[in-house]
Amino acid sequence: MPDVISQNLPFLMRGLATTLRIAGLTAAGGTLLGLAVGIAIHLRVAVLAASLRLYIEFVRGTPLLVMLFICYFAFPALLGYRTTAEQATILGFILFIGAYIAEDVRSGLRSIKPGLVQAALATGLTHWQALGLIVIPLALRRIIPTLFNQYVRLLKFTSVASVIGVQEFTGSAMLVNARVFAPVTILAFIALTYLVLCLLLSSIGRVLHARLAV
Amino acid sequence: MSYEFDWAPIWEARALILAGLATTVMLSAASLVLASIIGVIVGTAASSHRLAFRVGAGVTVEVTRNVPLLIHMYVWYVALAFLRLPPFWCGVLGLSVYSGAYVAEIVRGGIASVPDGQGKAALATGLTPFQTFFVVIYPQAFRIVAPSLANVFSQLIKDSSLASAIAVMELTYVAGAVEGQSFRTFEIYITVCGLYLLLVTIVTLALRFFSGAREQAPAMELASA
């Protein structure tokens, strides 16, 4: 390992820990949000479904960086609260990826054949039981590949947080670079780390899909 | 909610915002063209009969896609600083290489979806391999993958906002500047969102038009950052 990296390894690893923390939290939050939104739209909840569609369209047309700026600058100004860069990042990522996951969840729910629901109802399950026990688990198992696609995106996105000053992996690496100036080594190191992490994440997705696909 | 809306500073900064929009359009357009060229070359290599081409293209795509876009931009802007490329072109190159990998995947899928017999028949009628691709295979593949391409291209436009991190004065960068001057935080970012939405809509509609304006199947979910 080059000296630049080994000497700054503890610092870089702290950045990587922040990256993984942000990615983990936002993956969980985004999945929950996406599930809730996707199900609400699927069930055609009055008014709510229409406004959620608007939310999805808005987010999907907005660059991630602008979303972060909105969460870091605009929301606090609008609603009068204080936030840190990391909190704003987490909120922004959850709102951002939640919209994409909601679309995936919705298409997963749509792919469940009506006959399955009818069969569930015929066996005496209530509507909610049919949804919670049959439709949602099946839909989730079906969308595992797209879901993990979103998680990989999320992991790559965390680098954008450095733009609003979060000291995650990329941010720490650029700080190290500012001090020692070895851009080729440092960028190669972080690129390789992201590559390995992303490939790892997608192979987890593939294994899960192979095991759980229906 | 105690926030009072005031759109006047946004209107006063319109020249700056439009200049930013123009830069975003040029940045996206240049990257779109370059990404398409890269995508067609790598995607065609990925569907080659030669193993070495397939493996080479596959590895290139995987490595490129799994590294964050911001790192791609830093590579051109910081690591290859000795080339002294202007920030704009660093942005174009980073964006093109990154999106090119996604286009390559789509091109590969498109070529695979054109029946094998088409290429063989074209060669049998005496077309050169070059003609076979450009007259027979690509046009058919394009119709099939147009919705996915629209996805990647709209992603590309949104991704161009990251060029602000390497000091390209595009829309997002300008938004930050206007925000810093006027403190009309919410107004400026809503304006910018609207402009991005406009660009994305134009590209999506244009691709729908050029691909034959048929009823589109739902786009393949190909995500990018």
Side-chain angles (χ1 to χ4, degrees), chain A residues 22-23 27 47 66 90 135-136 180 185 205 209-210:
Chain A
I22 293 176
V47 190
V66 175
I90 291 172
V135 178
I136 294 174
V180 299
T185 323
H209 184 57

Side-chain angles (χ1 to χ4, degrees), chain A residues 57-67 69-70 73-75 77-80 96 100 103-104 110 146 149-150 152-153 155-157 159-163 170 174 177 181 183-184 187 190-192 194-196 198-199 202, chain B residues 1-3 5 62-71 74-76 78-82 98 102 151 155 157-159 161-165 172 176 179 183 185-186 189-190 192-194 196-197 200 218 221-225:
Chain A
E57 289 308 320
F58 176 78
V59 169
R60 287 167 60 102
T62 305
L64 174 71
L65 189 56
V66 175
M67 197 69 206
F69 284 152
I70 289 177
F73 302 118
F75 280 164
L78 188 70
L79 303 170
F96 189 81
Y100 287 88
E103 278 290 276
D104 296 339
R110 264 213 317 224
T146 46
N149 240 343
Q150 303 295 0
V152 170
R153 280 180 81 196
L155 187 57
K156 289 189 292 172
F157 281 165
S159 61
V160 178
S162 64
V163 176
T170 307
M174 295 322 278
N177 181 51
F181 197 72
V184 178
L187 279 170
I190 59 173
L192 199 68
Y194 279 113
L195 176 67
V196 170
C198 290
L199 290 177
S202 16
Chain B
M1 212 160 35
S2 57
Y3 194 83
F5 285 93
E62 282 306 310
V63 169
T64 312
R65 281 207 306 189
N66 283 306
V67 171
L69 174 60
L70 194 58
I71 312 279
Y74 284 152
V75 164
W76 295 98
V78 183
L80 302 175
F82 61 87
Y98 180 80
Y102 285 90
N151 256 355
Q155 206 70 56
I157 293 172
K158 289 181 282 170
D159 286 346
S161 64
L162 274 190
S164 63
T172 306
E179 195 259 326
F183 299 107
T185 314
F186 204 74
Y189 286 119
I190 287 296
V192 164
C193 283
Y196 275 111
L197 203 59
V200 167
E221 272 304 323
L222 279 158
S224 84

Side-chain angles (χ1 to χ4, degrees), chain B:
Chain B
M1 212 160 35
S2 57
Y3 194 83
E4 286 185 17
F5 285 93
D6 177 10
W7 295 89
I10 309 299
W11 179 245
E12 277 159 26
R14 61 189 180 278
L16 198 58
I17 296 173
L18 284 179
L21 180 66
T23 308
T24 288
V25 169
M26 283 189 294
L27 182 67
S28 307
S31 308
L32 203 144
V33 172
L34 206 54
S36 303
I37 296 172
I38 296 173
V40 167
I41 294 173
V42 178
T44 308
S47 33
S48 159
H49 291 292
R50 285 192 202 168
L51 184 68
F53 281 7
R54 274 209 308 279
V55 172
V59 170
T60 309
V61 167
E62 282 306 310
V63 169
T64 312
R65 281 207 306 189
N66 283 306
V67 171
L69 174 60
L70 194 58
I71 312 279
H72 276 278
M73 295 204 170
Y74 284 152
V75 164
W76 295 98
Y77 189 60
V78 183
L80 302 175
F82 61 87
L83 295 175
R84 295 188 184 283
L85 290 169
F88 179 86
W89 288 104
C90 294
V92 168
L93 286 168
L95 204 51
S96 312
V97 171
Y98 180 80
S99 310
Y102 285 90
V103 177
E105 267 302 283
I106 293 174
V107 169
R108 192 188 54 78
I111 293 176
S113 69
V114 176
D116 229 18
Q118 295 276 335
K120 286 181 183 146
L123 289 173
T125 60
L127 295 186
T128 63
F130 191 78
Q131 287 170 327
T132 303
F133 271 111
F134 278 88
V135 182
V136 177
I137 294 181
Y138 290 151
Q140 297 187 63
F142 176 65
R143 273 160 198 265
I144 296 167
V145 301
S148 317
L149 271 184
N151 256 355
V152 169
F153 288 160
S154 44
Q155 206 70 56
L156 185 152
I157 293 172
K158 289 181 282 170
D159 286 346
S160 73
S161 64
L162 274 190
S164 63
I166 57 167
V168 179
M169 295 189 191
E170 44 68 74
L171 198 49
T172 306
Y173 188 96
V174 166
V178 173
E179 195 259 326
Q181 277 172 10
S182 64
F183 299 107
R184 306 320 306 171
T185 314
F186 204 74
E187 292 87 335
I188 182 64
Y189 286 119
I190 287 296
T191 310
V192 164
C193 283
L195 291 173
Y196 275 111
L197 203 59
L198 185 73
L199 291 182
V200 167
T201 311
I202 291 173
V203 168
T204 311
L205 290 180
L207 257 157
R208 198 170 295 173
F209 177 75
F210 284 121
S211 64
R214 296 166 309 153
E215 187 57 39
Q216 300 295 350
M220 252 193 275
E221 272 304 323
L222 279 158
S224 84

